Amino acid sequence: MNRPVLTSPFKYIKCGPTGNRQQATVVVAFAAVTEKEKSDDVVCVVRRLKAMEAITIPTDTFKVGFIGAGKMAESIARGVVQSGLLPPHRILTAVHSNPSRGTAFESFGVKLLPHSNAVVEDSDVVILSVKPQVVKDVVFQLKPKFSKKKLLVSVAAGVKLKDLQEWAGHTRFIRVMPNTPSAVGEAATVMSMGVTATEEDGELIAKLFGAVGKVWRAEEKFFDAITGLSGSGPAYIFLAIEALADGGVAAGLPRELALGLASQTVLGAASMVVKTGKHPGQLKDDVASPGGTTIAGIHELEKSGFRGILMNAVVAAAKRGKELSPS
């Protein structure tokens, strides 16, 4: 491939498939490279060159500010404090229109500031945890405070990185998709990196959100499907627990006992998948002995299209998430 060259080579950080970095020399004039020619390495060059301008966040003194003091923000902040990752005085949020939200944060030592501008000014990591429909206005309002040293994080569902970066005039962004079990330290969280977010930035955010559950990294193109699965998924499981409990009541169990058994059964089954590493189909087969009660129940579920219904729910939620996205 023939490309125009610069008069002198420059150094860049090359990204390998495992994220390892090595020094390399490049003589590519990026402006002359066509879209087709932009290999993963070339894109990585641009990203890393821009990332070099970022100021490293001090891991031993950094502060986290929440813009929006809703229940998701509270769950994340509380989990970070309880894990010992950060002391409460290094977590900030602003006075909320609903006084009870401020009280909730103050109950575990988080400092309340008079307004969101002050939160951004005094924070190294700024987490935007407002509703998706207002995030654009909030970003525009705070834009003058977004200096290069700030790492911005969004948990607003359905709002893409390219929009966030354009609105903020700031590309040191990470998009994060947690779910409601963060309230009990069992979140399933996925993160995607913005243009100039560094590997160190990613590790820092993975630790923060790891305080309230498990964290995966994925390309942003998967986020609608992630929304349909882990974002909306807890609601599907709540329905399943309720239905199991109702079945127990129909079979003669007291309501409280039926609900307790259903909840613990779902918790135990999920734990077996995670801890044993076995495929759920194998675990199902281990329970379903020939001619027994379990296979009879599974037969009824299959006749009703149980697996297909769950699959359709994930796909429908993913489709709706895509429709609601601003772009």
Side-chain angles (χ1 to χ4, degrees), residues 182-255:
S182 61
V184 292
E186 293 293 346
T189 298
V190 184
M191 54 185 281
S192 184
M193 308 285 281
V195 173
T196 58
T198 66
E199 189 64 28
E200 291 74 19
D201 291 339
E203 291 171 0
L204 179 63
I205 297 307
K207 286 181 181 179
L208 281 175
F209 284 84
V212 292
K214 292 188 176 182
V215 181
W216 288 261
R217 192 180 295 190
E219 294 179 50
E220 193 183 27
K221 66 182 181 181
F222 297 121
F223 265 49
D224 289 327
I226 290 165
T227 299
L229 177 56
S230 61
S232 301
Y236 315 152
I237 303 304
F238 298 148
L239 280 175
I241 291 172
E242 183 182 32
L244 286 169
D246 284 346
V249 172
L253 293 178
R255 169 65 63 182

Side-chain angles (χ1 to χ4, degrees), residues 62 64 76 80 85-86 125 127 204-212:
F62 75 94
V64 177
I76 298 165
V80 167
L85 186 63
L86 287 182
V125 178
I127 299 179
L204 179 63
I205 297 307
K207 286 181 181 179
L208 281 175
F209 284 84
V212 292

Side-chain angles (χ1 to χ4, degrees), residues 2-123:
N2 294 321
R3 292 172 175 160
V5 299
L6 300 175
T7 55
S8 61
F10 56 88
K11 295 289 185 179
Y12 79 104
I13 303 295
K14 181 178 180 181
C15 299
T18 60
N20 293 329
R21 296 179 289 174
Q22 63 186 54
Q23 292 292 331
T25 301
V26 168
V27 288
V28 177
F30 292 111
V33 179
T34 67
E35 288 297 322
K36 184 177 181 181
E37 292 173 327
K38 286 181 180 177
S39 67
D40 289 341
D41 279 346
V42 171
V43 172
C44 183
V45 172
V46 177
R47 176 173 176 165
R48 290 296 174 185
L49 284 172
K50 292 181 178 178
M52 288 176 186
E53 299 176 2
I55 298 173
T56 302
I57 294 174
T59 57
D60 54 342
T61 60
F62 75 94
K63 293 181 181 180
V64 177
F66 286 88
I67 305 301
K71 291 185 178 179
M72 180 63 76
E74 179 194 344
S75 298
I76 298 165
R78 191 182 293 274
V80 167
V81 171
Q82 290 178 344
S83 71
L85 186 63
L86 287 182
H89 70 267
R90 284 167 55 191
I91 300 175
L92 312 168
T93 192
V95 174
H96 198 275
S97 56
N98 180 350
S100 67
R101 299 311 309 143
T103 301
F105 276 81
E106 287 179 319
S107 69
F108 55 97
V110 170
K111 184 179 181 181
L112 295 185
L113 297 182
H115 50 76
S116 294
N117 283 338
V119 173
V120 176
E121 288 175 350
D122 202 24
S123 300

